[in-house]
Amino acid sequence: MASLKEDFGLSVYARRGETNEEYYDYLNRVLDIGPDIVVDDGGDLVRLLHTERKDIDTVIGGNEETTTGVVRLRAMEKNGVLRFPPMFDVNDAMMKHFFDNRYGTGQSTLDGIMNATNLVIAGKDVVVAGYGFCGKGIAMRMRGGMGASVTVTEIDPVKAVEAIMDGFRVERMSQALRHADIVVTATGMKNVVRYDDLLQAKPGLILANSGHFNNEIEVDVLVSRSMERRRVRDHVDMFRLENGNRVYLISEGRLVNLAAGGQGGHPPAEIMDMSFAIQALTARYLAENHHRLERRVYRCPGR
Ligand SMILES: NC(=O)c1ccc[n+]([C@@H]2O[C@H](COP(=O)([O-])OP(=O)(O)OC[C@H]3O[C@@H](n4cnc5c(N)ncnc54)[C@H](O)[C@@H]3O)[C@@H](O)[C@H]2O)c1
């Protein structure tokens, strides 16, 4: 952030460790500028433009970086409520999800968990929820690089079979929790790890999330129903459940690679540059072609 300000003279509205309130304040301050193009990651900026900030009418289009944001955009498109012109789906460009989601998230999620816990991964029983691009990367690195014993949970039967063919065990989360040392979620869906199932979990379980929102693990219920909560290391909270068992939650269930990773996310030069290049190219395409594009979510031209 300092480099963006000092070396490039950009306005930056962000702070590491910002509160929810600050986060929305910063989004609003970005919108106060009256942007022509929005480059979003997760869909919060676009949601604001469709709700509290309908006063902004300068936007000619934009793009969306991540799976969850694209899901939100496509739902808006389907319901006919997309307010402004074209949005480009950067996530579904092959050069994005094949590399950023899989190899980037695979590596940086491991980095986040290792940095937060200082534990050896080898020999650990690791459960990965979701066998999409992020989940595949995490499962691959946990097993191949680090020597964990990996179980996958999946709701899509084809991907579940794919995980089996790739050599992973596949189970339901309620089952897998009984033997897991570490659970990592990467599904884009909420309440994938439920408090009631945690009551059957192996004591000392470590919970981490790499999906976009901090609702993949039922954190609110964990907070409200646990008998004790204590910060035991930077980024790690211990919760004592109603049955007396302890579970450990990394970074309050937020994206573990961003919140707890030494690098603060994927290695930028080798992975993020590919995604950023697609964002930049779609922004240029928009600037040159927006007058003939419709109010739709477009896939990126080319791959
Ligand atoms: N941490 C990061 O840096 C990073 C990077 C890219 C994407 N993401 C986010 O990670 C999440 C996953 O992205 P992706 O690209 O892998 O998506 P994806 O659509 O490729 O994969 C998600 C998988 O989760 C499965 N799933 C859904 N609900 C489930 C459930 N209840 N239990 C088990 N499996 C379930 C789906 O069937 C699917 O296979 C999204 O929220 C995305 O925005 C994070």
Side-chain angles (χ1 to χ4, degrees), residues 66-69 91 96 100-101 105 109 129-135 153-156 159 186-189 192 210-213 216 255 257-258 266:
T66 196
T67 319
T68 287
N91 185 72
K96 199 280 185 178
D100 174 325
N101 299 27
T105 312
T109 296
Y131 203 61
F133 280 92
C134 293
T153 70
E154 239 311 332
I155 54 164
D156 177 334
K159 288 187 181 163
T187 68
M189 303 300 275
V192 175
S210 221
H212 190 78
F213 285 118
E216 300 211 12
L255 291 147
N257 54 343
L258 299 186
H266 307 344

PDB file of all heavy atoms in Angstrom, residues 66-69 91 96 100-101 105 109 129-135 153-156 159 186-189 192 210-213 216 255 257-258 266, ligand 1:
ATOM      1  N   THR A  66     -13.264 -12.646  -8.506  1.00  0.00           N
ATOM      2  CA  THR A  66     -13.296 -13.961  -7.847  1.00  0.00           C
ATOM      3  C   THR A  66     -14.606 -14.721  -8.040  1.00  0.00           C
ATOM      4  O   THR A  66     -15.638 -14.134  -8.370  1.00  0.00           O
ATOM      5  CB  THR A  66     -12.963 -13.835  -6.346  1.00  0.00           C
ATOM      6  OG1 THR A  66     -12.639 -15.133  -5.836  1.00  0.00           O
ATOM      7  CG2 THR A  66     -14.136 -13.280  -5.533  1.00  0.00           C
ATOM      8  N   THR A  67     -14.535 -16.035  -7.809  1.00  0.00           N
ATOM      9  CA  THR A  67     -15.665 -16.949  -8.005  1.00  0.00           C
ATOM     10  C   THR A  67     -16.930 -16.441  -7.319  1.00  0.00           C
ATOM     11  O   THR A  67     -18.003 -16.374  -7.932  1.00  0.00           O
ATOM     12  CB  THR A  67     -15.309 -18.342  -7.430  1.00  0.00           C
ATOM     13  OG1 THR A  67     -13.963 -18.644  -7.768  1.00  0.00           O
ATOM     14  CG2 THR A  67     -16.224 -19.412  -7.966  1.00  0.00           C
ATOM     15  N   THR A  68     -16.803 -16.093  -6.044  1.00  0.00           N
ATOM     16  CA  THR A  68     -17.987 -15.663  -5.282  1.00  0.00           C
ATOM     17  C   THR A  68     -18.604 -14.407  -5.883  1.00  0.00           C
ATOM     18  O   THR A  68     -19.830 -14.304  -5.999  1.00  0.00           O
ATOM     19  CB  THR A  68     -17.589 -15.435  -3.808  1.00  0.00           C
ATOM     20  OG1 THR A  68     -17.393 -16.728  -3.219  1.00  0.00           O
ATOM     21  CG2 THR A  68     -18.649 -14.691  -3.022  1.00  0.00           C
ATOM     22  N   GLY A  69     -17.784 -13.446  -6.294  1.00  0.00           N
ATOM     23  CA  GLY A  69     -18.302 -12.216  -6.904  1.00  0.00           C
ATOM     24  C   GLY A  69     -19.014 -12.515  -8.213  1.00  0.00           C
ATOM     25  O   GLY A  69     -20.055 -11.922  -8.519  1.00  0.00           O
ATOM     26  N   ASN A  91     -12.710 -14.104 -13.350  1.00  0.00           N
ATOM     27  CA  ASN A  91     -12.427 -15.392 -12.703  1.00  0.00           C
ATOM     28  C   ASN A  91     -12.463 -16.563 -13.670  1.00  0.00           C
ATOM     29  O   ASN A  91     -11.671 -17.487 -13.568  1.00  0.00           O
ATOM     30  CB  ASN A  91     -13.422 -15.656 -11.573  1.00  0.00           C
ATOM     31  CG  ASN A  91     -13.069 -16.925 -10.830  1.00  0.00           C
ATOM     32  OD1 ASN A  91     -12.089 -16.971 -10.094  1.00  0.00           O
ATOM     33  ND2 ASN A  91     -13.853 -17.980 -11.045  1.00  0.00           N
ATOM     34  N   LYS A  96      -6.874 -17.203 -15.253  1.00  0.00           N
ATOM     35  CA  LYS A  96      -7.077 -16.789 -13.867  1.00  0.00           C
ATOM     36  C   LYS A  96      -7.274 -18.012 -12.981  1.00  0.00           C
ATOM     37  O   LYS A  96      -6.422 -18.368 -12.184  1.00  0.00           O
ATOM     38  CB  LYS A  96      -8.266 -15.824 -13.795  1.00  0.00           C
ATOM     39  CG  LYS A  96      -8.292 -14.990 -12.518  1.00  0.00           C
ATOM     40  CD  LYS A  96      -8.836 -15.731 -11.331  1.00  0.00           C
ATOM     41  CE  LYS A  96      -8.982 -14.908 -10.090  1.00  0.00           C
ATOM     42  NZ  LYS A  96      -9.560 -15.656  -8.990  1.00  0.00           N
ATOM     43  N   ASP A 100      -4.272 -18.801 -10.504  1.00  0.00           N
ATOM     44  CA  ASP A 100      -4.476 -18.043  -9.273  1.00  0.00           C
ATOM     45  C   ASP A 100      -5.223 -18.907  -8.251  1.00  0.00           C
ATOM     46  O   ASP A 100      -4.729 -19.165  -7.143  1.00  0.00           O
ATOM     47  CB  ASP A 100      -5.267 -16.781  -9.655  1.00  0.00           C
ATOM     48  CG  ASP A 100      -5.711 -15.915  -8.495  1.00  0.00           C
ATOM     49  OD1 ASP A 100      -6.035 -16.446  -7.432  1.00  0.00           O
ATOM     50  OD2 ASP A 100      -5.760 -14.683  -8.667  1.00  0.00           O
ATOM     51  N   ASN A 101      -6.419 -19.408  -8.639  1.00  0.00           N
ATOM     52  CA  ASN A 101      -7.232 -20.156  -7.676  1.00  0.00           C
ATOM     53  C   ASN A 101      -6.540 -21.447  -7.250  1.00  0.00           C
ATOM     54  O   ASN A 101      -6.565 -21.819  -6.087  1.00  0.00           O
ATOM     55  CB  ASN A 101      -8.604 -20.500  -8.275  1.00  0.00           C
ATOM     56  CG  ASN A 101      -9.400 -19.261  -8.633  1.00  0.00           C
ATOM     57  OD1 ASN A 101      -8.827 -18.228  -8.905  1.00  0.00           O
ATOM     58  ND2 ASN A 101     -10.714 -19.364  -8.650  1.00  0.00           N
ATOM     59  N   THR A 105      -3.806 -20.169  -4.492  1.00  0.00           N
ATOM     60  CA  THR A 105      -4.493 -20.461  -3.231  1.00  0.00           C
ATOM     61  C   THR A 105      -3.903 -21.701  -2.573  1.00  0.00           C
ATOM     62  O   THR A 105      -3.792 -21.761  -1.346  1.00  0.00           O
ATOM     63  CB  THR A 105      -6.007 -20.645  -3.475  1.00  0.00           C
ATOM     64  OG1 THR A 105      -6.460 -19.561  -4.280  1.00  0.00           O
ATOM     65  CG2 THR A 105      -6.786 -20.655  -2.182  1.00  0.00           C
ATOM     66  N   THR A 109      -2.530 -20.670   1.006  1.00  0.00           N
ATOM     67  CA  THR A 109      -3.342 -21.169   2.117  1.00  0.00           C
ATOM     68  C   THR A 109      -2.457 -21.954   3.091  1.00  0.00           C
ATOM     69  O   THR A 109      -2.569 -21.820   4.309  1.00  0.00           O
ATOM     70  CB  THR A 109      -4.484 -22.069   1.584  1.00  0.00           C
ATOM     71  OG1 THR A 109      -5.328 -21.258   0.783  1.00  0.00           O
ATOM     72  CG2 THR A 109      -5.300 -22.694   2.705  1.00  0.00           C
ATOM     73  N   ALA A 129     -12.673 -28.789   2.276  1.00  0.00           N
ATOM     74  CA  ALA A 129     -14.072 -28.703   1.849  1.00  0.00           C
ATOM     75  C   ALA A 129     -14.142 -28.002   0.508  1.00  0.00           C
ATOM     76  O   ALA A 129     -13.711 -26.859   0.380  1.00  0.00           O
ATOM     77  CB  ALA A 129     -14.886 -27.942   2.887  1.00  0.00           C
ATOM     78  N   GLY A 130     -14.669 -28.702  -0.488  1.00  0.00           N
ATOM     79  CA  GLY A 130     -14.774 -28.151  -1.839  1.00  0.00           C
ATOM     80  C   GLY A 130     -13.619 -28.642  -2.678  1.00  0.00           C
ATOM     81  O   GLY A 130     -12.452 -28.510  -2.287  1.00  0.00           O
ATOM     82  N   TYR A 131     -13.947 -29.254  -3.824  1.00  0.00           N
ATOM     83  CA  TYR A 131     -12.895 -29.707  -4.740  1.00  0.00           C
ATOM     84  C   TYR A 131     -13.011 -28.936  -6.047  1.00  0.00           C
ATOM     85  O   TYR A 131     -12.996 -29.479  -7.138  1.00  0.00           O
ATOM     86  CB  TYR A 131     -12.995 -31.229  -4.950  1.00  0.00           C
ATOM     87  CG  TYR A 131     -11.691 -31.861  -5.400  1.00  0.00           C
ATOM     88  CD1 TYR A 131     -10.563 -31.796  -4.607  1.00  0.00           C
ATOM     89  CD2 TYR A 131     -11.598 -32.518  -6.624  1.00  0.00           C
ATOM     90  CE1 TYR A 131      -9.372 -32.376  -5.014  1.00  0.00           C
ATOM     91  CE2 TYR A 131     -10.409 -33.104  -7.037  1.00  0.00           C
ATOM     92  CZ  TYR A 131      -9.293 -33.020  -6.220  1.00  0.00           C
ATOM     93  OH  TYR A 131      -8.102 -33.596  -6.611  1.00  0.00           O
ATOM     94  N   GLY A 132     -13.190 -27.611  -5.889  1.00  0.00           N
ATOM     95  CA  GLY A 132     -13.134 -26.723  -7.050  1.00  0.00           C
ATOM     96  C   GLY A 132     -11.674 -26.351  -7.276  1.00  0.00           C
ATOM     97  O   GLY A 132     -10.762 -27.064  -6.845  1.00  0.00           O
ATOM     98  N   PHE A 133     -11.457 -25.198  -7.923  1.00  0.00           N
ATOM     99  CA  PHE A 133     -10.070 -24.865  -8.256  1.00  0.00           C
ATOM    100  C   PHE A 133      -9.236 -24.587  -7.009  1.00  0.00           C
ATOM    101  O   PHE A 133      -8.098 -25.059  -6.905  1.00  0.00           O
ATOM    102  CB  PHE A 133     -10.037 -23.722  -9.272  1.00  0.00           C
ATOM    103  CG  PHE A 133     -10.289 -24.272 -10.648  1.00  0.00           C
ATOM    104  CD1 PHE A 133     -11.573 -24.329 -11.161  1.00  0.00           C
ATOM    105  CD2 PHE A 133      -9.246 -24.808 -11.378  1.00  0.00           C
ATOM    106  CE1 PHE A 133     -11.807 -24.895 -12.398  1.00  0.00           C
ATOM    107  CE2 PHE A 133      -9.478 -25.378 -12.615  1.00  0.00           C
ATOM    108  CZ  PHE A 133     -10.761 -25.424 -13.126  1.00  0.00           C
ATOM    109  N   CYS A 134      -9.809 -23.838  -6.065  1.00  0.00           N
ATOM    110  CA  CYS A 134      -9.033 -23.559  -4.844  1.00  0.00           C
ATOM    111  C   CYS A 134      -8.821 -24.849  -4.054  1.00  0.00           C
ATOM    112  O   CYS A 134      -7.701 -25.149  -3.625  1.00  0.00           O
ATOM    113  CB  CYS A 134      -9.765 -22.548  -3.962  1.00  0.00           C
ATOM    114  SG  CYS A 134      -9.862 -20.908  -4.692  1.00  0.00           S
ATOM    115  N   GLY A 135      -9.904 -25.608  -3.858  1.00  0.00           N
ATOM    116  CA  GLY A 135      -9.820 -26.832  -3.063  1.00  0.00           C
ATOM    117  C   GLY A 135      -8.812 -27.821  -3.645  1.00  0.00           C
ATOM    118  O   GLY A 135      -8.046 -28.460  -2.904  1.00  0.00           O
ATOM    119  N   THR A 153     -14.317 -33.043   1.085  1.00  0.00           N
ATOM    120  CA  THR A 153     -15.783 -33.091   1.118  1.00  0.00           C
ATOM    121  C   THR A 153     -16.283 -32.326  -0.106  1.00  0.00           C
ATOM    122  O   THR A 153     -15.708 -31.291  -0.460  1.00  0.00           O
ATOM    123  CB  THR A 153     -16.382 -32.464   2.396  1.00  0.00           C
ATOM    124  OG1 THR A 153     -16.188 -31.046   2.361  1.00  0.00           O
ATOM    125  CG2 THR A 153     -15.732 -33.030   3.653  1.00  0.00           C
ATOM    126  N   GLU A 154     -17.300 -32.817  -0.761  1.00  0.00           N
ATOM    127  CA  GLU A 154     -17.831 -32.205  -1.995  1.00  0.00           C
ATOM    128  C   GLU A 154     -19.333 -32.479  -2.084  1.00  0.00           C
ATOM    129  O   GLU A 154     -19.785 -33.539  -1.695  1.00  0.00           O
ATOM    130  CB  GLU A 154     -17.173 -32.835  -3.221  1.00  0.00           C
ATOM    131  CG  GLU A 154     -16.424 -31.919  -4.163  1.00  0.00           C
ATOM    132  CD  GLU A 154     -17.113 -30.652  -4.627  1.00  0.00           C
ATOM    133  OE1 GLU A 154     -18.342 -30.605  -4.695  1.00  0.00           O
ATOM    134  OE2 GLU A 154     -16.409 -29.686  -4.941  1.00  0.00           O
ATOM    135  N   ILE A 155     -20.077 -31.493  -2.614  1.00  0.00           N
ATOM    136  CA  ILE A 155     -21.497 -31.753  -2.846  1.00  0.00           C
ATOM    137  C   ILE A 155     -21.777 -32.113  -4.304  1.00  0.00           C
ATOM    138  O   ILE A 155     -22.837 -32.628  -4.621  1.00  0.00           O
ATOM    139  CB  ILE A 155     -22.393 -30.554  -2.436  1.00  0.00           C
ATOM    140  CG1 ILE A 155     -21.913 -29.271  -3.128  1.00  0.00           C
ATOM    141  CG2 ILE A 155     -22.416 -30.377  -0.928  1.00  0.00           C
ATOM    142  CD1 ILE A 155     -22.956 -28.175  -3.089  1.00  0.00           C
ATOM    143  N   ASP A 156     -20.817 -31.813  -5.183  1.00  0.00           N
ATOM    144  CA  ASP A 156     -21.001 -32.139  -6.597  1.00  0.00           C
ATOM    145  C   ASP A 156     -20.463 -33.558  -6.826  1.00  0.00           C
ATOM    146  O   ASP A 156     -19.267 -33.812  -6.641  1.00  0.00           O
ATOM    147  CB  ASP A 156     -20.212 -31.101  -7.427  1.00  0.00           C
ATOM    148  CG  ASP A 156     -20.256 -31.382  -8.926  1.00  0.00           C
ATOM    149  OD1 ASP A 156     -20.445 -32.558  -9.312  1.00  0.00           O
ATOM    150  OD2 ASP A 156     -20.075 -30.434  -9.706  1.00  0.00           O
ATOM    151  N   LYS A 159     -17.326 -33.958  -9.103  1.00  0.00           N
ATOM    152  CA  LYS A 159     -16.071 -33.514  -8.486  1.00  0.00           C
ATOM    153  C   LYS A 159     -15.666 -34.458  -7.362  1.00  0.00           C
ATOM    154  O   LYS A 159     -14.473 -34.660  -7.106  1.00  0.00           O
ATOM    155  CB  LYS A 159     -16.206 -32.094  -7.989  1.00  0.00           C
ATOM    156  CG  LYS A 159     -16.242 -31.131  -9.152  1.00  0.00           C
ATOM    157  CD  LYS A 159     -16.211 -29.712  -8.691  1.00  0.00           C
ATOM    158  CE  LYS A 159     -16.272 -28.787  -9.893  1.00  0.00           C
ATOM    159  NZ  LYS A 159     -16.631 -27.441  -9.516  1.00  0.00           N
ATOM    160  N   ALA A 186     -13.110 -24.151   1.224  1.00  0.00           N
ATOM    161  CA  ALA A 186     -12.874 -23.353   0.003  1.00  0.00           C
ATOM    162  C   ALA A 186     -14.029 -23.642  -0.952  1.00  0.00           C
ATOM    163  O   ALA A 186     -13.837 -24.172  -2.041  1.00  0.00           O
ATOM    164  CB  ALA A 186     -11.540 -23.719  -0.625  1.00  0.00           C
ATOM    165  N   THR A 187     -15.239 -23.288  -0.524  1.00  0.00           N
ATOM    166  CA  THR A 187     -16.423 -23.658  -1.306  1.00  0.00           C
ATOM    167  C   THR A 187     -17.178 -22.454  -1.876  1.00  0.00           C
ATOM    168  O   THR A 187     -17.920 -22.598  -2.837  1.00  0.00           O
ATOM    169  CB  THR A 187     -17.443 -24.441  -0.446  1.00  0.00           C
ATOM    170  OG1 THR A 187     -17.983 -23.541   0.530  1.00  0.00           O
ATOM    171  CG2 THR A 187     -16.814 -25.627   0.255  1.00  0.00           C
ATOM    172  N   GLY A 188     -17.059 -21.297  -1.244  1.00  0.00           N
ATOM    173  CA  GLY A 188     -17.900 -20.164  -1.628  1.00  0.00           C
ATOM    174  C   GLY A 188     -19.316 -20.286  -1.076  1.00  0.00           C
ATOM    175  O   GLY A 188     -20.179 -19.489  -1.432  1.00  0.00           O
ATOM    176  N   MET A 189     -19.567 -21.256  -0.215  1.00  0.00           N
ATOM    177  CA  MET A 189     -20.908 -21.448   0.370  1.00  0.00           C
ATOM    178  C   MET A 189     -20.841 -21.265   1.885  1.00  0.00           C
ATOM    179  O   MET A 189     -19.786 -21.461   2.481  1.00  0.00           O
ATOM    180  CB  MET A 189     -21.430 -22.852   0.081  1.00  0.00           C
ATOM    181  CG  MET A 189     -21.483 -23.197  -1.374  1.00  0.00           C
ATOM    182  SD  MET A 189     -22.544 -22.114  -2.323  1.00  0.00           S
ATOM    183  CE  MET A 189     -24.093 -22.924  -2.063  1.00  0.00           C
ATOM    184  N   VAL A 192     -20.610 -24.422   5.956  1.00  0.00           N
ATOM    185  CA  VAL A 192     -20.080 -25.710   5.503  1.00  0.00           C
ATOM    186  C   VAL A 192     -19.579 -26.508   6.725  1.00  0.00           C
ATOM    187  O   VAL A 192     -19.696 -27.730   6.777  1.00  0.00           O
ATOM    188  CB  VAL A 192     -18.937 -25.465   4.485  1.00  0.00           C
ATOM    189  CG1 VAL A 192     -18.266 -26.760   4.080  1.00  0.00           C
ATOM    190  CG2 VAL A 192     -19.480 -24.746   3.259  1.00  0.00           C
ATOM    191  N   SER A 210     -10.528 -20.580   3.286  1.00  0.00           N
ATOM    192  CA  SER A 210      -9.872 -19.873   2.192  1.00  0.00           C
ATOM    193  C   SER A 210     -10.877 -19.370   1.168  1.00  0.00           C
ATOM    194  O   SER A 210     -10.502 -18.833   0.129  1.00  0.00           O
ATOM    195  CB  SER A 210      -8.829 -20.783   1.521  1.00  0.00           C
ATOM    196  OG  SER A 210      -7.684 -20.043   1.227  1.00  0.00           O
ATOM    197  N   GLY A 211     -12.158 -19.591   1.421  1.00  0.00           N
ATOM    198  CA  GLY A 211     -13.201 -19.067   0.542  1.00  0.00           C
ATOM    199  C   GLY A 211     -13.382 -17.574   0.787  1.00  0.00           C
ATOM    200  O   GLY A 211     -12.858 -17.023   1.766  1.00  0.00           O
ATOM    201  N   HIS A 212     -14.144 -16.924  -0.070  1.00  0.00           N
ATOM    202  CA  HIS A 212     -14.153 -15.458  -0.052  1.00  0.00           C
ATOM    203  C   HIS A 212     -14.736 -14.848   1.226  1.00  0.00           C
ATOM    204  O   HIS A 212     -14.235 -13.852   1.724  1.00  0.00           O
ATOM    205  CB  HIS A 212     -14.904 -14.926  -1.273  1.00  0.00           C
ATOM    206  CG  HIS A 212     -14.728 -13.448  -1.412  1.00  0.00           C
ATOM    207  ND1 HIS A 212     -13.568 -12.897  -1.919  1.00  0.00           N
ATOM    208  CD2 HIS A 212     -15.520 -12.417  -1.045  1.00  0.00           C
ATOM    209  CE1 HIS A 212     -13.674 -11.589  -1.883  1.00  0.00           C
ATOM    210  NE2 HIS A 212     -14.848 -11.266  -1.366  1.00  0.00           N
ATOM    211  N   PHE A 213     -15.824 -15.417   1.724  1.00  0.00           N
ATOM    212  CA  PHE A 213     -16.462 -14.805   2.899  1.00  0.00           C
ATOM    213  C   PHE A 213     -16.201 -15.606   4.171  1.00  0.00           C
ATOM    214  O   PHE A 213     -15.971 -16.821   4.113  1.00  0.00           O
ATOM    215  CB  PHE A 213     -17.965 -14.660   2.682  1.00  0.00           C
ATOM    216  CG  PHE A 213     -18.309 -13.538   1.742  1.00  0.00           C
ATOM    217  CD1 PHE A 213     -18.956 -13.794   0.539  1.00  0.00           C
ATOM    218  CD2 PHE A 213     -17.969 -12.235   2.043  1.00  0.00           C
ATOM    219  CE1 PHE A 213     -19.260 -12.759  -0.337  1.00  0.00           C
ATOM    220  CE2 PHE A 213     -18.266 -11.194   1.177  1.00  0.00           C
ATOM    221  CZ  PHE A 213     -18.918 -11.460  -0.016  1.00  0.00           C
ATOM    222  N   GLU A 216     -18.109 -19.545   5.882  1.00  0.00           N
ATOM    223  CA  GLU A 216     -18.056 -20.974   5.515  1.00  0.00           C
ATOM    224  C   GLU A 216     -18.022 -21.832   6.786  1.00  0.00           C
ATOM    225  O   GLU A 216     -18.535 -22.943   6.825  1.00  0.00           O
ATOM    226  CB  GLU A 216     -16.862 -21.261   4.609  1.00  0.00           C
ATOM    227  CG  GLU A 216     -16.931 -20.475   3.317  1.00  0.00           C
ATOM    228  CD  GLU A 216     -16.309 -21.157   2.110  1.00  0.00           C
ATOM    229  OE1 GLU A 216     -16.001 -22.357   2.160  1.00  0.00           O
ATOM    230  OE2 GLU A 216     -16.144 -20.467   1.095  1.00  0.00           O
ATOM    231  N   LEU A 255     -10.408 -15.222   5.027  1.00  0.00           N
ATOM    232  CA  LEU A 255      -9.446 -15.799   4.071  1.00  0.00           C
ATOM    233  C   LEU A 255      -8.074 -15.987   4.729  1.00  0.00           C
ATOM    234  O   LEU A 255      -7.374 -15.017   5.002  1.00  0.00           O
ATOM    235  CB  LEU A 255      -9.269 -14.854   2.892  1.00  0.00           C
ATOM    236  CG  LEU A 255     -10.440 -14.688   1.945  1.00  0.00           C
ATOM    237  CD1 LEU A 255     -10.483 -13.279   1.400  1.00  0.00           C
ATOM    238  CD2 LEU A 255     -10.352 -15.681   0.820  1.00  0.00           C
ATOM    239  N   ASN A 257      -5.208 -17.135   3.811  1.00  0.00           N
ATOM    240  CA  ASN A 257      -3.970 -16.744   3.122  1.00  0.00           C
ATOM    241  C   ASN A 257      -3.758 -15.237   3.183  1.00  0.00           C
ATOM    242  O   ASN A 257      -2.640 -14.761   3.349  1.00  0.00           O
ATOM    243  CB  ASN A 257      -3.957 -17.249   1.671  1.00  0.00           C
ATOM    244  CG  ASN A 257      -5.169 -16.822   0.874  1.00  0.00           C
ATOM    245  OD1 ASN A 257      -6.186 -16.416   1.425  1.00  0.00           O
ATOM    246  ND2 ASN A 257      -5.071 -16.912  -0.432  1.00  0.00           N
ATOM    247  N   LEU A 258      -4.853 -14.481   3.074  1.00  0.00           N
ATOM    248  CA  LEU A 258      -4.718 -13.024   3.117  1.00  0.00           C
ATOM    249  C   LEU A 258      -4.500 -12.547   4.538  1.00  0.00           C
ATOM    250  O   LEU A 258      -3.697 -11.661   4.794  1.00  0.00           O
ATOM    251  CB  LEU A 258      -5.972 -12.347   2.548  1.00  0.00           C
ATOM    252  CG  LEU A 258      -6.321 -12.650   1.103  1.00  0.00           C
ATOM    253  CD1 LEU A 258      -7.486 -11.813   0.645  1.00  0.00           C
ATOM    254  CD2 LEU A 258      -5.135 -12.375   0.188  1.00  0.00           C
ATOM    255  N   HIS A 266      -1.362 -14.467  -2.387  1.00  0.00           N
ATOM    256  CA  HIS A 266      -0.533 -15.196  -3.350  1.00  0.00           C
ATOM    257  C   HIS A 266       0.739 -14.413  -3.654  1.00  0.00           C
ATOM    258  O   HIS A 266       0.731 -13.192  -3.624  1.00  0.00           O
ATOM    259  CB  HIS A 266      -1.255 -15.362  -4.685  1.00  0.00           C
ATOM    260  CG  HIS A 266      -2.606 -15.955  -4.597  1.00  0.00           C
ATOM    261  ND1 HIS A 266      -3.071 -16.614  -3.495  1.00  0.00           N
ATOM    262  CD2 HIS A 266      -3.591 -16.006  -5.512  1.00  0.00           C
ATOM    263  CE1 HIS A 266      -4.284 -17.033  -3.735  1.00  0.00           C
ATOM    264  NE2 HIS A 266      -4.640 -16.676  -4.950  1.00  0.00           N
TER     265      HIS A 266
HETATM  266  N1  LIG B   1      -8.187 -17.498  -0.858  1.00  0.00           N
HETATM  267  C1  LIG B   1      -8.029 -16.925  -2.042  1.00  0.00           C
HETATM  268  O1  LIG B   1      -7.069 -16.212  -2.288  1.00  0.00           O
HETATM  269  C2  LIG B   1      -9.037 -17.202  -3.114  1.00  0.00           C
HETATM  270  C3  LIG B   1      -8.658 -17.175  -4.461  1.00  0.00           C
HETATM  271  C4  LIG B   1      -9.626 -17.462  -5.441  1.00  0.00           C
HETATM  272  C5  LIG B   1     -10.932 -17.734  -5.054  1.00  0.00           C
HETATM  273  N2  LIG B   1     -11.263 -17.698  -3.720  1.00  0.00           N
HETATM  274  C6  LIG B   1     -12.627 -18.011  -3.238  1.00  0.00           C
HETATM  275  O2  LIG B   1     -12.643 -19.396  -2.875  1.00  0.00           O
HETATM  276  C7  LIG B   1     -13.963 -19.929  -3.028  1.00  0.00           C
HETATM  277  C8  LIG B   1     -13.909 -21.149  -3.957  1.00  0.00           C
HETATM  278  O3  LIG B   1     -13.461 -20.744  -5.240  1.00  0.00           O
HETATM  279  P1  LIG B   1     -13.215 -21.795  -6.421  1.00  0.00           P
HETATM  280  O4  LIG B   1     -12.711 -21.024  -7.567  1.00  0.00           O
HETATM  281  O5  LIG B   1     -12.484 -22.973  -5.917  1.00  0.00           O
HETATM  282  O6  LIG B   1     -14.754 -22.209  -6.715  1.00  0.00           O
HETATM  283  P2  LIG B   1     -15.294 -23.507  -7.485  1.00  0.00           P
HETATM  284  O7  LIG B   1     -16.684 -23.179  -7.882  1.00  0.00           O
HETATM  285  O8  LIG B   1     -14.299 -23.928  -8.519  1.00  0.00           O
HETATM  286  O9  LIG B   1     -15.280 -24.625  -6.330  1.00  0.00           O
HETATM  287  C9  LIG B   1     -16.123 -24.631  -5.211  1.00  0.00           C
HETATM  288  C10 LIG B   1     -16.451 -26.092  -4.932  1.00  0.00           C
HETATM  289  O10 LIG B   1     -17.088 -26.206  -3.665  1.00  0.00           O
HETATM  290  C11 LIG B   1     -18.108 -27.201  -3.787  1.00  0.00           C
HETATM  291  N3  LIG B   1     -19.067 -26.989  -2.702  1.00  0.00           N
HETATM  292  C12 LIG B   1     -20.069 -26.091  -2.622  1.00  0.00           C
HETATM  293  N4  LIG B   1     -20.704 -26.209  -1.448  1.00  0.00           N
HETATM  294  C13 LIG B   1     -20.090 -27.203  -0.767  1.00  0.00           C
HETATM  295  C14 LIG B   1     -20.300 -27.789   0.507  1.00  0.00           C
HETATM  296  N5  LIG B   1     -21.275 -27.380   1.323  1.00  0.00           N
HETATM  297  N6  LIG B   1     -19.468 -28.801   0.891  1.00  0.00           N
HETATM  298  C15 LIG B   1     -18.477 -29.235   0.067  1.00  0.00           C
HETATM  299  N7  LIG B   1     -18.250 -28.716  -1.175  1.00  0.00           N
HETATM  300  C16 LIG B   1     -19.036 -27.704  -1.565  1.00  0.00           C
HETATM  301  C17 LIG B   1     -18.684 -26.975  -5.179  1.00  0.00           C
HETATM  302  O11 LIG B   1     -19.387 -28.114  -5.634  1.00  0.00           O
HETATM  303  C18 LIG B   1     -17.425 -26.688  -5.975  1.00  0.00           C
HETATM  304  O12 LIG B   1     -16.855 -27.862  -6.516  1.00  0.00           O
HETATM  305  C19 LIG B   1     -14.809 -18.784  -3.568  1.00  0.00           C
HETATM  306  O13 LIG B   1     -15.422 -18.121  -2.475  1.00  0.00           O
HETATM  307  C20 LIG B   1     -13.772 -17.864  -4.211  1.00  0.00           C
HETATM  308  O14 LIG B   1     -14.233 -16.539  -4.334  1.00  0.00           O
HETATM  309  C21 LIG B   1     -10.344 -17.474  -2.752  1.00  0.00           C
END
